[in-house]
Amino acid sequence: MTGEVLSISRLSDGVFDLRVGIALNAPAPGRFVHVAVSGFALRRPVSLCGYKDGIARLVLAVKGRGTAALAEMKPGERIDMLGALGNGFPPPLGKTLLVGGGIGLPPLLYYAGTYPGAHAIAGFRSPEQAVLAEEFPSVEVCFGDDYPHKRIKPGFDRVLACGPRPMLKAVAGVCARLAIPCFVSAEERMACGVGACLVCACAVGGRYRRVCKDGPVFDALDVDWSEFSPAET
Amino acid sequence: MVDLSVSVAGLAMKNPLVAVSGCFGFGREYDELFDIAILGGICVKGLTLVPREGNPPPRAAETPGGMLNSIGLQNPGIETFLRDELPFLRKKNIAVIANISGGSAEEYGEVARLTGDAVDMLEVNISCPNLNAHGVNFANDPRAAAGVTEAVKKSAKVPVCVKLSPNVTDITAVALACKDAGADALSLINTLVGMRIDTETRRPVLRMNTGGLSGPAVFPVALRCVWQVSAAAGLPVIGMGGVSGGLDAAEMMMAGASAVGIGTVLFQDPAAPERILRELTDWCSRHGEKRVSDLTGSVEAY
């Protein structure tokens, strides 16, 4: 489906905030859109940062030429995206804690806006890279080696996390020790986005699952966090 | 009105568009986006005797005009396919082509035997570039290719199409060997072996270091191979590799293809099948072609 870029603004060096007028199918926190970039063979999967009144909010980092091209889009331009796709975060259950690192924060912000009451821990490499944190109703922000997982305290009924894989692994470890159910949003290089091509394989429960269709949100206890893959073990 | 129907080694299809193996799973996912019955046929994800988990990620890398993949034939195995996936496809008005792989000629034969006549055609994948575990690439050697073809033909109850690799010095030699071994049709090309390196980490982008290149970048190579093979072997050809539009499909058919595969284009444009069919039909109308099948081999080469 095609939408229209309504606004685009820079949040920090290399991170931008894109608002798109588009009718999405069943948008929800943790679900993603698969964004076409003119001149590129593959779409870019982007977790929704919000969706309200027909306007999708995408906050993404420039990682390569494709995202750089998206960052150059101008209001009024047409943009083609599939979605929303994938399985999002489960609805709240008791006291919910959101743990995000860097560019992993957007889907958690969507969650915080959808289900009030969740507390958030937001980690960044440095204060200059801190984006979106101030938009959470309840948040603690940490930088550098003050990693988010070190701040997880007992007393939560559910943890939802999104961020770099090492952070997710650490969060999953803490949650397992504290016996807090934890769900993580996984990331892998993706092609079709709908579950057909098996590019975005992620080792979950001893076998490869599709991040795009079976995920991107998985129960952290099921994710194989080791370096080894099912094919090698 | 343009007649879009084609026939490949006796397999009739309502139009020449075939979803290629690996890009389309078993059809279920894309059927949520469009009715897959608009396609003439589907080559299902590569099947093996026993289930395979496939290669570790990352499994894909973008390239200029295309992408690399190294899935490694992740599939649930032939028996699970026949039991759990095929019935869904059989409800559709679409030709079903089972893409099969194996570690030995005997294994290919066994998969063909198990498949029987449950599908409309077998596509024998002798050319997957991501099968390191098996250690053999049958498509590199005419004798090995013929051995696999013969083994499959012995067990097959449906027409046998052999899928050829472009990663060879002389693709026509392999094509002729397959023909002599009894192949009913040929499909080409499989992907070209390629590589990308992440300059920040100095590590390959793909966990398996190399992978198969597909997308518009390979289209001229595919076209050349189809042209050479269809002229040399005289067998029906399913032409595939980088087809992204109706004019590409027309070129493929002019080069000698009886049917045309589409794959990587779906990732960018899931609506591609409908668009390509429309563009191909428009081309035929504009040029007074009443039957799309008349395009096959119609290139007037110098």
Side-chain angles (χ1 to χ4, degrees):
Chain A
M1 49 209 96
T2 309
E4 181 190 345
V5 175
L6 301 177
S7 72
I8 183 163
S9 61
R10 184 180 160 282
L11 294 185
S12 74
D13 197 19
V15 176
F16 61 101
D17 185 342
L18 187 64
R19 312 281 173 127
V20 178
I22 189 164
L24 290 180
N25 173 43
R31 302 196 84 199
F32 69 96
V33 287
H34 212 21
V35 186
V37 192
S38 183
F40 291 82
L42 297 180
R43 288 168 179 262
R44 268 60 181 170
V46 184
S47 282
L48 285 166
C49 182
Y51 189 83
K52 203 178 172 195
D53 303 329
I55 298 172
R57 183 184 188 192
L58 309 179
V59 172
L60 58 165
V62 174
K63 291 279 179 70
R65 278 178 280 228
T67 40
L70 285 177
E72 292 301 312
M73 293 199 80
K74 302 277 179 287
E77 285 188 290
R78 308 297 290 172
I79 185 167
D80 172 353
M81 54 181 80
L82 300 175
L85 302 170
N87 290 311
F89 287 114
L93 187 74
K95 254 181 100 183
T96 298
L97 176 67
L98 309 173
V99 183
I103 201 61
L105 280 169
L108 299 177
L109 179 60
Y110 188 9
Y111 197 95
T114 306
Y115 306 109
H119 179 63
I121 303 172
F124 302 95
R125 291 222 175 93
S126 67
E128 297 73 49
Q129 289 170 315
V131 293
L132 301 179
E134 73 287 355
E135 296 187 44
F136 284 82
S138 167
V139 66
E140 54 191 289
V141 184
C142 48
F143 302 106
D145 59 8
D146 177 10
Y147 295 115
H149 71 272
K150 295 181 181 171
R151 291 169 168 250
I152 301 174
K153 305 268 188 317
F156 288 96
D157 300 299
R158 180 175 270 176
V159 169
L160 309 177
C162 185
R165 190 172 169 95
M167 187 208 87
L168 295 182
K169 183 179 178 178
V171 169
V174 171
C175 290
R177 270 202 306 284
L178 297 176
I180 307 173
C182 173
F183 293 84
V184 297
S185 178
E187 189 174 42
E188 270 301 338
R189 282 169 181 265
M190 196 176 279
C192 75
V194 297
C197 74
L198 309 183
V199 157
C200 59
C202 175
V204 178
R207 49 181 293 228
Y208 282 128
R209 307 297 301 274
R210 303 162 296 182
V211 167
C212 68
K213 189 83 174 177
D214 304 313
V217 175
F218 294 105
D219 187 325
L221 287 177
D222 294 335
V223 176
D224 179 2
W225 297 104
S226 74
E227 291 298 310
F228 294 97
S229 62
E232 290 171 324
T233 50
Chain B
M1 223 20 215
V2 179
D3 178 4
L4 288 175
S5 66
V6 298
S7 170
V8 181
L11 171 57
M13 296 193 288
K14 60 186 175 297
N15 69 60
L17 277 200
V18 177
V20 306
S21 179
C23 295
F24 212 71
F26 303 118
R28 284 185 199 272
E29 292 81 13
Y30 276 105
D31 197 58
E32 292 175 15
L33 298 182
F34 61 88
D35 182 5
I36 61 170
I38 68 167
L39 290 160
I42 169 177
C43 295
V44 302
K45 174 67 185 169
L47 298 161
T48 48
L49 194 55
V50 293
R52 285 176 59 92
E53 276 298 332
N55 292 332
R59 289 177 171 185
E62 199 171 39
T63 65
M67 64 176 288
L68 296 168
N69 86 79
S70 70
I71 310 300
L73 284 181
Q74 179 179 336
N75 82 94
I78 182 66
E79 285 168 306
T80 301
F81 163 73
L82 293 172
R83 190 186 64 232
D84 298 344
E85 302 292 344
L86 186 59
F88 165 77
L89 287 172
R90 275 297 169 219
K91 283 188 229 135
K92 300 268 172 188
N93 173 26
I94 187 171
V96 179
I97 303 171
N99 180 287
I100 62 170
S101 280
S104 64
E106 294 70 36
E107 210 176 303
Y108 278 92
E110 181 61 8
V111 179
R113 190 187 66 77
L114 289 168
T115 308
D117 61 359
V119 299
D120 301 308
M121 179 180 268
L122 291 171
E123 182 181 55
V124 187
N125 182 9
I126 58 170
S127 50
C128 178
N130 296 318
L131 254 187
N132 289 352
H134 284 185
V136 189
N137 192 332
F138 298 99
N140 285 343
D141 173 11
R143 270 173 308 177
V148 171
T149 307
E150 216 172 277
V152 173
K153 272 303 283 185
K154 233 178 253 171
S155 315
K157 294 207 161 58
V158 292
V160 172
C161 173
V162 183
K163 186 165 182 177
L164 304 181
S165 168
N167 305 304
V168 294
T169 312
D170 181 4
I171 192 169
T172 59
V174 185
L176 288 169
C178 294
K179 182 190 186 184
D180 291 343
D184 302 294
L186 300 168
S187 59
L188 58 150
I189 56 174
N190 207 318
T191 54
L192 287 145
V193 180
M195 184 179 191
R196 292 309 298 268
I197 294 170
D198 181 334
T199 50
E200 294 304 306
T201 61
R202 299 196 189 211
R203 307 216 69 176
V205 173
L206 297 176
R207 182 63 179 70
M208 298 303 284
N209 299 319
T210 63
L213 180 67
S214 64
V218 311
F219 177 69
V221 178
L223 196 68
R224 180 268 297 175
C225 290
V226 166
W227 179 60
Q228 287 180 330
V229 163
S230 60
L235 285 178
V237 164
I238 306 175
M240 55 188 69
V243 171
S244 323
L247 297 187
D248 296 342
E251 278 192 68
M252 265 300 179
M253 298 190 76
M254 290 175 188
S258 298
V260 178
I262 54 164
T264 302
V265 65
L266 288 160
F267 303 158
Q268 223 270 342
D269 178 15
E274 192 191 353
R275 173 176 58 81
I276 293 173
L277 280 174
R278 189 177 64 238
E279 291 167 353
L280 183 60
T281 308
D282 287 351
W283 185 93
C284 289
S285 302
R286 279 203 309 281
H287 293 82
E289 288 283 3
K290 299 225 165 8
R291 282 193 307 264
V292 76
S293 59
D294 288 342
L295 286 182
T296 299
S298 65
V299 62
E300 295 175 40
Y302 293 108

PDB file of all heavy atoms in Angstrom, chain B residues 113-144:
ATOM      1  N   ARG B 113      10.384 -40.702  -6.073  1.00  0.00           N
ATOM      2  CA  ARG B 113       9.498 -41.856  -5.888  1.00  0.00           C
ATOM      3  C   ARG B 113       8.403 -41.526  -4.877  1.00  0.00           C
ATOM      4  O   ARG B 113       7.221 -41.806  -5.097  1.00  0.00           O
ATOM      5  CB  ARG B 113      10.316 -43.062  -5.406  1.00  0.00           C
ATOM      6  CG  ARG B 113       9.553 -44.383  -5.404  1.00  0.00           C
ATOM      7  CD  ARG B 113      10.345 -45.507  -4.752  1.00  0.00           C
ATOM      8  NE  ARG B 113      10.547 -45.293  -3.328  1.00  0.00           N
ATOM      9  CZ  ARG B 113       9.608 -45.484  -2.383  1.00  0.00           C
ATOM     10  NH1 ARG B 113       8.393 -45.893  -2.738  1.00  0.00           N
ATOM     11  NH2 ARG B 113       9.865 -45.269  -1.109  1.00  0.00           N
ATOM     12  N   LEU B 114       8.809 -40.901  -3.762  1.00  0.00           N
ATOM     13  CA  LEU B 114       7.838 -40.536  -2.727  1.00  0.00           C
ATOM     14  C   LEU B 114       6.808 -39.534  -3.252  1.00  0.00           C
ATOM     15  O   LEU B 114       5.647 -39.538  -2.841  1.00  0.00           O
ATOM     16  CB  LEU B 114       8.554 -39.961  -1.503  1.00  0.00           C
ATOM     17  CG  LEU B 114       9.357 -40.966  -0.666  1.00  0.00           C
ATOM     18  CD1 LEU B 114      10.252 -40.247   0.341  1.00  0.00           C
ATOM     19  CD2 LEU B 114       8.416 -41.925   0.059  1.00  0.00           C
ATOM     20  N   THR B 115       7.254 -38.660  -4.154  1.00  0.00           N
ATOM     21  CA  THR B 115       6.355 -37.622  -4.676  1.00  0.00           C
ATOM     22  C   THR B 115       5.327 -38.223  -5.639  1.00  0.00           C
ATOM     23  O   THR B 115       4.172 -37.788  -5.672  1.00  0.00           O
ATOM     24  CB  THR B 115       7.163 -36.520  -5.384  1.00  0.00           C
ATOM     25  OG1 THR B 115       8.195 -36.063  -4.503  1.00  0.00           O
ATOM     26  CG2 THR B 115       6.279 -35.342  -5.766  1.00  0.00           C
ATOM     27  N   GLY B 116       5.765 -39.214  -6.387  1.00  0.00           N
ATOM     28  CA  GLY B 116       4.852 -39.896  -7.311  1.00  0.00           C
ATOM     29  C   GLY B 116       4.185 -38.926  -8.270  1.00  0.00           C
ATOM     30  O   GLY B 116       4.855 -38.087  -8.865  1.00  0.00           O
ATOM     31  N   ASP B 117       2.864 -39.041  -8.377  1.00  0.00           N
ATOM     32  CA  ASP B 117       2.155 -38.146  -9.294  1.00  0.00           C
ATOM     33  C   ASP B 117       1.338 -37.102  -8.526  1.00  0.00           C
ATOM     34  O   ASP B 117       0.361 -36.556  -9.031  1.00  0.00           O
ATOM     35  CB  ASP B 117       1.258 -38.935 -10.243  1.00  0.00           C
ATOM     36  CG  ASP B 117       0.197 -39.731  -9.498  1.00  0.00           C
ATOM     37  OD1 ASP B 117       0.185 -39.674  -8.247  1.00  0.00           O
ATOM     38  OD2 ASP B 117      -0.604 -40.404 -10.158  1.00  0.00           O
ATOM     39  N   ALA B 118       1.787 -36.837  -7.284  1.00  0.00           N
ATOM     40  CA  ALA B 118       1.048 -35.874  -6.453  1.00  0.00           C
ATOM     41  C   ALA B 118       1.217 -34.451  -6.948  1.00  0.00           C
ATOM     42  O   ALA B 118       0.426 -33.577  -6.612  1.00  0.00           O
ATOM     43  CB  ALA B 118       1.513 -35.975  -4.994  1.00  0.00           C
ATOM     44  N   VAL B 119       2.267 -34.209  -7.728  1.00  0.00           N
ATOM     45  CA  VAL B 119       2.484 -32.866  -8.293  1.00  0.00           C
ATOM     46  C   VAL B 119       2.451 -32.975  -9.819  1.00  0.00           C
ATOM     47  O   VAL B 119       2.352 -34.079 -10.372  1.00  0.00           O
ATOM     48  CB  VAL B 119       3.825 -32.259  -7.830  1.00  0.00           C
ATOM     49  CG1 VAL B 119       3.854 -32.109  -6.320  1.00  0.00           C
ATOM     50  CG2 VAL B 119       5.008 -33.087  -8.313  1.00  0.00           C
ATOM     51  N   ASP B 120       2.555 -31.835 -10.505  1.00  0.00           N
ATOM     52  CA  ASP B 120       2.440 -31.835 -11.963  1.00  0.00           C
ATOM     53  C   ASP B 120       3.786 -31.982 -12.666  1.00  0.00           C
ATOM     54  O   ASP B 120       3.848 -32.341 -13.835  1.00  0.00           O
ATOM     55  CB  ASP B 120       1.771 -30.527 -12.414  1.00  0.00           C
ATOM     56  CG  ASP B 120       0.395 -30.365 -11.803  1.00  0.00           C
ATOM     57  OD1 ASP B 120      -0.396 -31.322 -11.924  1.00  0.00           O
ATOM     58  OD2 ASP B 120       0.125 -29.328 -11.186  1.00  0.00           O
ATOM     59  N   MET B 121       4.848 -31.639 -11.944  1.00  0.00           N
ATOM     60  CA  MET B 121       6.180 -31.705 -12.546  1.00  0.00           C
ATOM     61  C   MET B 121       7.206 -31.724 -11.423  1.00  0.00           C
ATOM     62  O   MET B 121       6.949 -31.191 -10.340  1.00  0.00           O
ATOM     63  CB  MET B 121       6.394 -30.488 -13.468  1.00  0.00           C
ATOM     64  CG  MET B 121       7.756 -30.427 -14.150  1.00  0.00           C
ATOM     65  SD  MET B 121       7.916 -28.960 -15.227  1.00  0.00           S
ATOM     66  CE  MET B 121       7.378 -29.637 -16.789  1.00  0.00           C
ATOM     67  N   LEU B 122       8.342 -32.347 -11.695  1.00  0.00           N
ATOM     68  CA  LEU B 122       9.459 -32.276 -10.760  1.00  0.00           C
ATOM     69  C   LEU B 122      10.497 -31.324 -11.331  1.00  0.00           C
ATOM     70  O   LEU B 122      10.810 -31.375 -12.520  1.00  0.00           O
ATOM     71  CB  LEU B 122      10.095 -33.656 -10.561  1.00  0.00           C
ATOM     72  CG  LEU B 122       9.266 -34.702  -9.824  1.00  0.00           C
ATOM     73  CD1 LEU B 122       9.959 -36.062  -9.916  1.00  0.00           C
ATOM     74  CD2 LEU B 122       9.072 -34.305  -8.363  1.00  0.00           C
ATOM     75  N   GLU B 123      10.995 -30.443 -10.482  1.00  0.00           N
ATOM     76  CA  GLU B 123      12.126 -29.606 -10.877  1.00  0.00           C
ATOM     77  C   GLU B 123      13.323 -30.108 -10.083  1.00  0.00           C
ATOM     78  O   GLU B 123      13.345 -30.012  -8.846  1.00  0.00           O
ATOM     79  CB  GLU B 123      11.865 -28.126 -10.574  1.00  0.00           C
ATOM     80  CG  GLU B 123      13.021 -27.240 -11.015  1.00  0.00           C
ATOM     81  CD  GLU B 123      12.794 -25.754 -10.698  1.00  0.00           C
ATOM     82  OE1 GLU B 123      12.539 -25.429  -9.525  1.00  0.00           O
ATOM     83  OE2 GLU B 123      12.879 -24.936 -11.625  1.00  0.00           O
ATOM     84  N   VAL B 124      14.291 -30.646 -10.770  1.00  0.00           N
ATOM     85  CA  VAL B 124      15.426 -31.272 -10.102  1.00  0.00           C
ATOM     86  C   VAL B 124      16.505 -30.226  -9.879  1.00  0.00           C
ATOM     87  O   VAL B 124      17.116 -29.731 -10.826  1.00  0.00           O
ATOM     88  CB  VAL B 124      15.979 -32.440 -10.953  1.00  0.00           C
ATOM     89  CG1 VAL B 124      17.055 -33.184 -10.177  1.00  0.00           C
ATOM     90  CG2 VAL B 124      14.858 -33.379 -11.350  1.00  0.00           C
ATOM     91  N   ASN B 125      16.705 -29.893  -8.609  1.00  0.00           N
ATOM     92  CA  ASN B 125      17.650 -28.841  -8.278  1.00  0.00           C
ATOM     93  C   ASN B 125      19.047 -29.433  -8.146  1.00  0.00           C
ATOM     94  O   ASN B 125      19.442 -29.911  -7.085  1.00  0.00           O
ATOM     95  CB  ASN B 125      17.227 -28.167  -6.968  1.00  0.00           C
ATOM     96  CG  ASN B 125      18.152 -27.027  -6.591  1.00  0.00           C
ATOM     97  OD1 ASN B 125      19.005 -26.627  -7.381  1.00  0.00           O
ATOM     98  ND2 ASN B 125      18.001 -26.525  -5.388  1.00  0.00           N
ATOM     99  N   ILE B 126      19.799 -29.384  -9.245  1.00  0.00           N
ATOM    100  CA  ILE B 126      21.174 -29.884  -9.184  1.00  0.00           C
ATOM    101  C   ILE B 126      22.137 -28.726  -8.981  1.00  0.00           C
ATOM    102  O   ILE B 126      23.346 -28.880  -9.034  1.00  0.00           O
ATOM    103  CB  ILE B 126      21.568 -30.642 -10.477  1.00  0.00           C
ATOM    104  CG1 ILE B 126      21.411 -29.743 -11.704  1.00  0.00           C
ATOM    105  CG2 ILE B 126      20.737 -31.901 -10.626  1.00  0.00           C
ATOM    106  CD1 ILE B 126      22.009 -30.344 -12.967  1.00  0.00           C
ATOM    107  N   SER B 127      21.585 -27.539  -8.708  1.00  0.00           N
ATOM    108  CA  SER B 127      22.413 -26.345  -8.832  1.00  0.00           C
ATOM    109  C   SER B 127      22.355 -25.408  -7.639  1.00  0.00           C
ATOM    110  O   SER B 127      22.744 -24.264  -7.739  1.00  0.00           O
ATOM    111  CB  SER B 127      21.983 -25.587 -10.082  1.00  0.00           C
ATOM    112  OG  SER B 127      20.569 -25.414 -10.108  1.00  0.00           O
ATOM    113  N   CYS B 128      21.885 -25.890  -6.475  1.00  0.00           N
ATOM    114  CA  CYS B 128      21.847 -24.979  -5.331  1.00  0.00           C
ATOM    115  C   CYS B 128      23.262 -24.641  -4.896  1.00  0.00           C
ATOM    116  O   CYS B 128      24.050 -25.532  -4.594  1.00  0.00           O
ATOM    117  CB  CYS B 128      21.089 -25.598  -4.162  1.00  0.00           C
ATOM    118  SG  CYS B 128      21.070 -24.504  -2.713  1.00  0.00           S
ATOM    119  N   PRO B 129      23.597 -23.340  -4.854  1.00  0.00           N
ATOM    120  CA  PRO B 129      24.966 -22.986  -4.474  1.00  0.00           C
ATOM    121  C   PRO B 129      25.186 -22.999  -2.972  1.00  0.00           C
ATOM    122  O   PRO B 129      26.280 -22.715  -2.512  1.00  0.00           O
ATOM    123  CB  PRO B 129      25.115 -21.565  -5.038  1.00  0.00           C
ATOM    124  CG  PRO B 129      23.754 -21.004  -4.988  1.00  0.00           C
ATOM    125  CD  PRO B 129      22.806 -22.167  -5.180  1.00  0.00           C
ATOM    126  N   ASN B 130      24.168 -23.329  -2.202  1.00  0.00           N
ATOM    127  CA  ASN B 130      24.261 -23.212  -0.742  1.00  0.00           C
ATOM    128  C   ASN B 130      24.238 -24.560  -0.035  1.00  0.00           C
ATOM    129  O   ASN B 130      23.812 -24.674   1.090  1.00  0.00           O
ATOM    130  CB  ASN B 130      23.121 -22.343  -0.217  1.00  0.00           C
ATOM    131  CG  ASN B 130      23.221 -20.931  -0.737  1.00  0.00           C
ATOM    132  OD1 ASN B 130      24.314 -20.369  -0.791  1.00  0.00           O
ATOM    133  ND2 ASN B 130      22.099 -20.369  -1.134  1.00  0.00           N
ATOM    134  N   LEU B 131      24.704 -25.565  -0.716  1.00  0.00           N
ATOM    135  CA  LEU B 131      24.596 -26.908  -0.162  1.00  0.00           C
ATOM    136  C   LEU B 131      25.936 -27.462   0.269  1.00  0.00           C
ATOM    137  O   LEU B 131      26.284 -28.577  -0.066  1.00  0.00           O
ATOM    138  CB  LEU B 131      23.976 -27.837  -1.215  1.00  0.00           C
ATOM    139  CG  LEU B 131      22.535 -28.225  -0.943  1.00  0.00           C
ATOM    140  CD1 LEU B 131      22.062 -29.270  -1.939  1.00  0.00           C
ATOM    141  CD2 LEU B 131      22.343 -28.721   0.477  1.00  0.00           C
ATOM    142  N   ASN B 132      26.690 -26.674   1.035  1.00  0.00           N
ATOM    143  CA  ASN B 132      28.023 -27.100   1.421  1.00  0.00           C
ATOM    144  C   ASN B 132      28.036 -28.449   2.137  1.00  0.00           C
ATOM    145  O   ASN B 132      28.944 -29.243   1.952  1.00  0.00           O
ATOM    146  CB  ASN B 132      28.689 -26.042   2.305  1.00  0.00           C
ATOM    147  CG  ASN B 132      29.057 -24.822   1.498  1.00  0.00           C
ATOM    148  OD1 ASN B 132      28.948 -24.845   0.277  1.00  0.00           O
ATOM    149  ND2 ASN B 132      29.482 -23.770   2.173  1.00  0.00           N
ATOM    150  N   ALA B 133      27.025 -28.670   2.958  1.00  0.00           N
ATOM    151  CA  ALA B 133      27.003 -29.887   3.749  1.00  0.00           C
ATOM    152  C   ALA B 133      27.032 -31.124   2.847  1.00  0.00           C
ATOM    153  O   ALA B 133      27.647 -32.128   3.170  1.00  0.00           O
ATOM    154  CB  ALA B 133      25.765 -29.909   4.633  1.00  0.00           C
ATOM    155  N   HIS B 134      26.380 -31.031   1.724  1.00  0.00           N
ATOM    156  CA  HIS B 134      26.361 -32.176   0.818  1.00  0.00           C
ATOM    157  C   HIS B 134      27.653 -32.287   0.020  1.00  0.00           C
ATOM    158  O   HIS B 134      27.974 -33.330  -0.497  1.00  0.00           O
ATOM    159  CB  HIS B 134      25.151 -32.074  -0.119  1.00  0.00           C
ATOM    160  CG  HIS B 134      23.871 -32.426   0.553  1.00  0.00           C
ATOM    161  ND1 HIS B 134      22.682 -32.495  -0.113  1.00  0.00           N
ATOM    162  CD2 HIS B 134      23.592 -32.727   1.833  1.00  0.00           C
ATOM    163  CE1 HIS B 134      21.721 -32.832   0.735  1.00  0.00           C
ATOM    164  NE2 HIS B 134      22.254 -32.960   1.920  1.00  0.00           N
ATOM    165  N   GLY B 135      28.380 -31.190  -0.101  1.00  0.00           N
ATOM    166  CA  GLY B 135      29.700 -31.236  -0.710  1.00  0.00           C
ATOM    167  C   GLY B 135      29.719 -31.463  -2.211  1.00  0.00           C
ATOM    168  O   GLY B 135      30.775 -31.461  -2.824  1.00  0.00           O
ATOM    169  N   VAL B 136      28.565 -31.642  -2.811  1.00  0.00           N
ATOM    170  CA  VAL B 136      28.555 -31.944  -4.241  1.00  0.00           C
ATOM    171  C   VAL B 136      27.698 -30.909  -4.963  1.00  0.00           C
ATOM    172  O   VAL B 136      26.660 -30.505  -4.479  1.00  0.00           O
ATOM    173  CB  VAL B 136      27.938 -33.333  -4.510  1.00  0.00           C
ATOM    174  CG1 VAL B 136      28.135 -33.745  -5.953  1.00  0.00           C
ATOM    175  CG2 VAL B 136      28.516 -34.357  -3.561  1.00  0.00           C
ATOM    176  N   ASN B 137      28.172 -30.471  -6.082  1.00  0.00           N
ATOM    177  CA  ASN B 137      27.320 -29.638  -6.908  1.00  0.00           C
ATOM    178  C   ASN B 137      27.191 -30.332  -8.259  1.00  0.00           C
ATOM    179  O   ASN B 137      28.065 -30.252  -9.105  1.00  0.00           O
ATOM    180  CB  ASN B 137      27.913 -28.238  -7.045  1.00  0.00           C
ATOM    181  CG  ASN B 137      26.917 -27.281  -7.653  1.00  0.00           C
ATOM    182  OD1 ASN B 137      26.044 -27.691  -8.416  1.00  0.00           O
ATOM    183  ND2 ASN B 137      27.040 -26.018  -7.325  1.00  0.00           N
ATOM    184  N   PHE B 138      26.077 -31.033  -8.407  1.00  0.00           N
ATOM    185  CA  PHE B 138      25.897 -31.890  -9.577  1.00  0.00           C
ATOM    186  C   PHE B 138      25.864 -31.091 -10.880  1.00  0.00           C
ATOM    187  O   PHE B 138      26.118 -31.632 -11.940  1.00  0.00           O
ATOM    188  CB  PHE B 138      24.612 -32.701  -9.432  1.00  0.00           C
ATOM    189  CG  PHE B 138      24.621 -33.621  -8.250  1.00  0.00           C
ATOM    190  CD1 PHE B 138      23.990 -33.272  -7.072  1.00  0.00           C
ATOM    191  CD2 PHE B 138      25.282 -34.831  -8.313  1.00  0.00           C
ATOM    192  CE1 PHE B 138      24.002 -34.110  -5.971  1.00  0.00           C
ATOM    193  CE2 PHE B 138      25.302 -35.688  -7.220  1.00  0.00           C
ATOM    194  CZ  PHE B 138      24.663 -35.318  -6.041  1.00  0.00           C
ATOM    195  N   ALA B 139      25.552 -29.803 -10.755  1.00  0.00           N
ATOM    196  CA  ALA B 139      25.403 -29.001 -11.965  1.00  0.00           C
ATOM    197  C   ALA B 139      26.737 -28.636 -12.600  1.00  0.00           C
ATOM    198  O   ALA B 139      26.789 -28.113 -13.708  1.00  0.00           O
ATOM    199  CB  ALA B 139      24.613 -27.734 -11.660  1.00  0.00           C
ATOM    200  N   ASN B 140      27.847 -28.874 -11.880  1.00  0.00           N
ATOM    201  CA  ASN B 140      29.159 -28.496 -12.420  1.00  0.00           C
ATOM    202  C   ASN B 140      29.714 -29.524 -13.390  1.00  0.00           C
ATOM    203  O   ASN B 140      30.691 -29.260 -14.076  1.00  0.00           O
ATOM    204  CB  ASN B 140      30.164 -28.314 -11.278  1.00  0.00           C
ATOM    205  CG  ASN B 140      29.919 -27.023 -10.528  1.00  0.00           C
ATOM    206  OD1 ASN B 140      29.226 -26.143 -11.030  1.00  0.00           O
ATOM    207  ND2 ASN B 140      30.459 -26.921  -9.337  1.00  0.00           N
ATOM    208  N   ASP B 141      29.130 -30.692 -13.405  1.00  0.00           N
ATOM    209  CA  ASP B 141      29.732 -31.792 -14.148  1.00  0.00           C
ATOM    210  C   ASP B 141      28.643 -32.494 -14.969  1.00  0.00           C
ATOM    211  O   ASP B 141      27.700 -33.040 -14.410  1.00  0.00           O
ATOM    212  CB  ASP B 141      30.369 -32.759 -13.136  1.00  0.00           C
ATOM    213  CG  ASP B 141      30.881 -34.030 -13.792  1.00  0.00           C
ATOM    214  OD1 ASP B 141      30.944 -34.074 -15.045  1.00  0.00           O
ATOM    215  OD2 ASP B 141      31.176 -34.981 -13.053  1.00  0.00           O
ATOM    216  N   PRO B 142      28.770 -32.475 -16.288  1.00  0.00           N
ATOM    217  CA  PRO B 142      27.720 -33.086 -17.126  1.00  0.00           C
ATOM    218  C   PRO B 142      27.403 -34.527 -16.744  1.00  0.00           C
ATOM    219  O   PRO B 142      26.234 -34.924 -16.737  1.00  0.00           O
ATOM    220  CB  PRO B 142      28.306 -33.010 -18.544  1.00  0.00           C
ATOM    221  CG  PRO B 142      29.252 -31.855 -18.493  1.00  0.00           C
ATOM    222  CD  PRO B 142      29.817 -31.840 -17.095  1.00  0.00           C
ATOM    223  N   ARG B 143      28.429 -35.297 -16.365  1.00  0.00           N
ATOM    224  CA  ARG B 143      28.166 -36.696 -16.028  1.00  0.00           C
ATOM    225  C   ARG B 143      27.360 -36.823 -14.736  1.00  0.00           C
ATOM    226  O   ARG B 143      26.440 -37.629 -14.632  1.00  0.00           O
ATOM    227  CB  ARG B 143      29.486 -37.474 -15.899  1.00  0.00           C
ATOM    228  CG  ARG B 143      29.936 -38.086 -17.225  1.00  0.00           C
ATOM    229  CD  ARG B 143      31.308 -38.681 -17.074  1.00  0.00           C
ATOM    230  NE  ARG B 143      32.226 -37.678 -16.505  1.00  0.00           N
ATOM    231  CZ  ARG B 143      33.506 -37.904 -16.198  1.00  0.00           C
ATOM    232  NH1 ARG B 143      34.037 -39.092 -16.392  1.00  0.00           N
ATOM    233  NH2 ARG B 143      34.272 -36.942 -15.714  1.00  0.00           N
ATOM    234  N   ALA B 144      27.744 -35.993 -13.739  1.00  0.00           N
ATOM    235  CA  ALA B 144      26.996 -36.019 -12.470  1.00  0.00           C
ATOM    236  C   ALA B 144      25.562 -35.555 -12.691  1.00  0.00           C
ATOM    237  O   ALA B 144      24.615 -36.127 -12.132  1.00  0.00           O
ATOM    238  CB  ALA B 144      27.693 -35.137 -11.439  1.00  0.00           C
TER     239      ALA B 144
END
